[in-house]
């Protein structure tokens, strides 16, 4: 009888401590996510200025707003929950097909804004496009991408699979593309 009372007290104490720690974690997380969201919102406001600067240089978006919104839906769907190499590859190919110049990249980031992306088994996390790509593109690539001559006479280049060997991270593959086309990395 005395053992049962001690066990019950121990269980109650553990549950109380766990509850207090969980509440402290949630408050801590909420405070820091608000701080990060303010910084992210400032970044999003800068996209309009970037687009105006690019327009002044004669660099205009290639596609309509609906195309960028469709791409955002693909990216969000593919990287929500448990992502795989295939879902990461679809995201990379979506970006490769959508980003022809810096204005396209800015429009895609602006269209993405700040999204709640579902985590595998717990809640969700707020991301900008760049944050999401940096966090989620972490699978190893079984194929090797490279920039090859698409049309040697016209001098155009395109991204193609060139071998079955690989091993690079999907984020590095995306960065190679962005570096070659836009001279940027994320």
């Amino acid at each position: 009888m005395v053992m049962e009372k001690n066990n019950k007290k121990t269980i109650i104490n553990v549950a109380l401590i766990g509850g207090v720690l969980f509440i402290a974690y949630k408050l801590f997380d909420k405070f820091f996510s608000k701080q990060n969201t303010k910084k992210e919102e400032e970044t999003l406001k800068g996209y309009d200025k970037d687009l105006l600067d690019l327009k002044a240089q004669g660099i205009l978006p290639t596609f309509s707003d609906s195309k960028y919104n469709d791409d955002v839906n693909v990216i969000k769907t593919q990287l929500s929950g448990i992502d795989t190499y295939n879902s990461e590859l679809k995201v990379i190919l979506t970006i490769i097909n959508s980003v022809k110049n810096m204005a396209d990249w800015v429009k895609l980031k602006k269209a993405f804004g700040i999204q709640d992306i579902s985590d595998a088994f717990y809640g969700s996390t707020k991301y900008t496009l760049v944050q999401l790509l940096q966090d989620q593109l972490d699978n190893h690539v079984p194929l090797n991408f490279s920039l090859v001559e698409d049309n040697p006479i016209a001098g155009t280049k395109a991204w193609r699979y060139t071998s079955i060997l690989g091993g690079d991270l999907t984020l590095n593959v995306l960065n190679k593309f962005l570096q070659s086309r836009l001279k940027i990395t994320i």
Side-chain angles (χ1 to χ4, degrees):
M1 185 78 125
V2 173
M3 284 285 274
E4 282 184 29
K5 283 186 179 181
N6 285 339
N7 285 343
K8 286 181 183 178
K9 284 183 181 179
T10 302
I11 291 170
I12 290 170
N13 286 337
V14 168
L16 287 172
I17 291 170
V20 168
L21 289 174
F22 180 75
I23 290 169
Y25 164 77
K26 283 297 193 182
L27 291 172
F28 181 78
D29 186 47
K30 188 172 242 177
F31 173 76
F32 280 104
S33 81
K34 281 184 181 177
Q35 297 297 323
N36 289 338
T37 302
K38 287 179 185 175
K39 291 177 190 173
E40 293 158 357
E41 286 172 355
E42 289 174 15
T43 300
L44 293 177
K45 288 178 186 173
Y47 293 151
D48 289 328
K49 181 187 179 310
D50 293 343
L51 287 168
L52 288 173
D53 292 345
L54 290 166
K55 184 177 182 178
Q57 298 170 33
I59 303 170
L60 300 172
T62 309
F63 305 104
S64 67
D65 288 347
S66 64
K67 166 75 167 119
Y68 300 110
N69 291 330
D70 290 345
D71 293 340
V72 165
N73 289 332
V74 169
I75 293 167
K76 186 176 177 180
T77 301
Q78 293 300 319
L79 295 181
S80 288
I82 299 174
D83 55 273
T84 64
Y85 164 71
N86 286 332
S87 62
E88 291 180 14
L89 182 61
K90 285 179 187 175
V91 167
I92 291 170
L93 293 175
T94 297
I95 293 171
I96 286 172
N97 290 326
S98 297
V99 177
K100 307 299 182 197
N101 60 44
M102 187 59 83
D104 292 329
W105 177 239
V106 174
K107 285 290 276 191
L108 186 61
K109 291 189 298 183
K110 182 180 176 186
F112 192 88
I114 301 170
Q115 298 275 343
D116 270 328
I117 303 297
S118 173
D119 296 323
F121 298 107
Y122 54 93
S124 64
T125 304
K126 289 187 180 300
Y127 288 105
T128 62
L129 178 61
V130 171
Q131 290 169 333
L132 177 67
L133 296 173
Q134 288 172 337
D135 188 48
Q136 297 294 319
L137 297 184
D138 56 1
N139 279 304
H140 287 274
V141 180
L143 299 169
N144 191 13
F145 279 93
S146 69
L147 191 61
V148 296
E149 290 291 329
D150 187 33
N151 182 344
I153 296 170
T156 60
K157 295 185 177 191
W159 282 85
R160 301 277 189 260
Y161 303 107
T162 56
S163 74
I164 301 176
L165 303 173
D168 211 351
L169 290 177
T170 49
L171 178 61
N172 294 338
V173 170
L174 180 59
N175 271 326
K176 287 175 186 175
F177 161 74
L178 292 172
Q179 179 63 37
S180 73
R181 188 167 286 173
L182 304 177
K183 308 297 184 243
I184 63 166
T185 57
I186 59 171

